[in-house]
C-alpha cells in the first residue's frame, strides 16, 4: 500500500491594458479614433489538498499478475478573488470608454 498526500497554495495575478483604433468616414474624409482602457488588476488564490491511496493484491514477489487499485481524492478548500486595482470601466461597449479623435 502506498499513501501519497499533498497540500499547497496557488495564485494568479491577472491584468490587461487595451488600446483600440478605428477609422470612420466623416464628411467624405477618413477620420481615425483611438481609446485606452485598463481591465484592472486581480489576484486569485486558493488552498488545496490531495490524497492518493494505491493498493495491490500481490501476495509475494513471485506473483506475476496482480490487480492494482488506485483511489484519489482532492479538493480546493478556499478560493478567493480580489480586485487590487479597479478597471477604468465596468463594461466595455461601443461608446464606453470615449473614443478620442487622432486625425
Amino acid at each position: 500500500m502506498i499513501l501519497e498526500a499533498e497540500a499547497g497554495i496557488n495564485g494568479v495575478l491577472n491584468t490587461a491594458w487595451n488600446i483600440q483604433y478605428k477609422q470612420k468616414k466623416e464628411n467624405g474624409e477618413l477620420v481615425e479614433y483611438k481609446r485606452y482602457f485598463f481591465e484592472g488588476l486581480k489576484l486569485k488564490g486558493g488552498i488545496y489538498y490531495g490524497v492518493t491511496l494505491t493498493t495491490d493484491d500481490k501476495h509475494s514477489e513471485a506473483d506475476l499478475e496482480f490487480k492494482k487499485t488506485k483511489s484519489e481524492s482532492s479538493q480546493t478548500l478556499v478560493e478567493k478573488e480580489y480586485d487590487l486595482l479597479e478597471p477604468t470601466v465596468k463594461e466595455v461597449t461601443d461608446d464606453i470608454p470615449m473614443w478620442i479623435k487622432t486625425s
Side-chain angles (χ1 to χ4, degrees):
M1 172 170 44
I2 299 172
L3 177 66
E4 299 174 63
E6 67 176 333
I9 298 173
N10 60 17
V12 176
L13 195 58
N14 186 24
T15 187
W17 285 91
N18 292 279
I19 303 169
Q20 296 180 340
Y21 293 94
K22 75 175 180 179
Q23 294 179 332
K24 186 164 108 174
K25 277 203 172 190
E26 292 179 1
N27 299 326
E29 290 186 35
L30 200 57
V31 179
E32 293 181 351
Y33 291 88
K34 68 179 174 181
R35 68 180 179 176
Y36 307 93
F37 56 95
F38 173 61
E39 291 186 359
L41 181 62
K42 296 179 186 271
L43 173 65
K44 185 176 183 179
I47 300 172
Y48 66 92
Y49 76 89
V51 178
T52 303
L53 178 64
T54 306
T55 58
D56 61 55
D57 64 358
K58 183 175 173 182
H59 299 292
S60 71
E61 292 297 320
D63 286 344
L64 296 177
E65 293 185 26
F66 59 91
K67 187 169 102 178
K68 190 178 251 190
T69 307
K70 194 173 199 177
S71 175
E72 296 182 23
S73 173
S74 64
Q75 184 172 353
T76 300
L77 299 175
V78 177
E79 192 168 79
K80 297 253 181 182
E81 187 171 308
Y82 299 97
D83 288 330
L84 301 178
L85 293 173
E86 292 291 324
T88 53
V89 292
K90 290 288 182 192
E91 182 180 351
V92 177
T93 65
D94 190 45
D95 297 329
I96 302 172
M98 298 296 293
W99 288 95
I100 302 164
K101 191 185 275 190
T102 61
S103 62

